[in-house]
Amino acid sequence: MFLCTGTYELPGPTGPASHTLSRHLGVHSIAEYYDLPTLKSLATRNICHLLWKADDMDAQGFFRAVDQAFVNTWDESLHSVMKDYAVRKCEDLFVTPSVDEIVEANLPITFMAYMLKVLSAHIVRLRASLARMERELYGLAGPPPIWEFWGSGHS
């Protein structure tokens, strides 16, 4: 159908967003394998569209899709799409499941390294913001930030 119309449809019921995402990733993998750049681009656009509108993406399903995207393709633009979604939805993806579930997902190291970098930078910004708010609240001569107090051996 794609060769005639320039589009493709996923057969059967759509199911949850993570299932549909996996099916689009399958089309992307096939397009990359057979060097069909137009189909690959269309699959990437469909993946982007799905990720922007998906409200029901479950963490485990997304983690399986990340593994599928990073293991089956070398497309850095697709990897960026997956990482951008993970950053945008990090609270849903990384707070709701337990740490054990995230570890069991066996996510690709490049994906996890990126997430660690982004989340670490976010923590640094939050700490700086908290320190600024404490200075504003207590004035420059006020008590030290709470983490300095607890780290100094006081109980």
Side-chain angles (χ1 to χ4, degrees):
M1 180 167 173
F2 168 75
L3 295 176
C4 295
T5 64
T7 64
Y8 69 88
E9 293 180 19
L10 299 173
T14 57
S18 59
H19 179 68
T20 304
L21 175 59
S22 178
R23 295 170 70 193
H24 283 300
L25 286 166
V27 171
H28 185 281
S29 296
I30 290 167
E32 186 171 70
Y33 181 82
Y34 287 106
D35 193 25
L36 302 169
T38 307
L39 179 58
K40 183 172 138 180
S41 177
L42 178 60
T44 302
R45 280 196 313 272
N46 287 339
I47 290 165
C48 287
H49 179 73
L50 175 67
L51 290 176
W52 277 104
K53 70 175 187 141
D55 291 329
D56 63 338
M57 184 72 67
D58 63 291
Q60 292 303 321
F62 179 73
F63 293 154
R64 283 190 302 273
V66 165
D67 188 56
Q68 183 180 359
F70 279 70
V71 170
N72 295 339
T73 73
W74 298 271
D75 185 352
E76 289 296 323
S77 65
L78 176 63
H79 296 175
S80 292
V81 166
M82 302 299 281
K83 291 186 282 190
D84 290 347
Y85 177 82
V87 168
R88 214 170 22 109
K89 297 288 191 170
C90 68
E91 288 181 24
D92 297 331
L93 296 171
F94 293 97
V95 175
T96 304
S98 70
V99 172
D100 291 337
E101 289 175 312
I102 295 170
V103 170
E104 286 172 10
N106 198 24
L107 294 166
I109 191 72
T110 53
F111 176 81
M112 290 307 293
Y114 177 81
M115 292 307 300
L116 183 60
K117 177 181 169 185
V118 168
L119 294 175
S120 296
H122 186 64
I123 289 169
V124 167
R125 285 191 305 275
L126 287 174
R127 282 191 174 166
S129 180
L130 179 60
R132 181 185 45 76
M133 288 188 289
E134 285 179 336
R135 283 192 306 274
E136 290 172 3
L137 181 63
Y138 294 115
L140 294 177
I146 189 85
W147 57 83
E148 289 179 16
F149 178 78
W150 290 112
S152 64
H154 295 85
S155 51

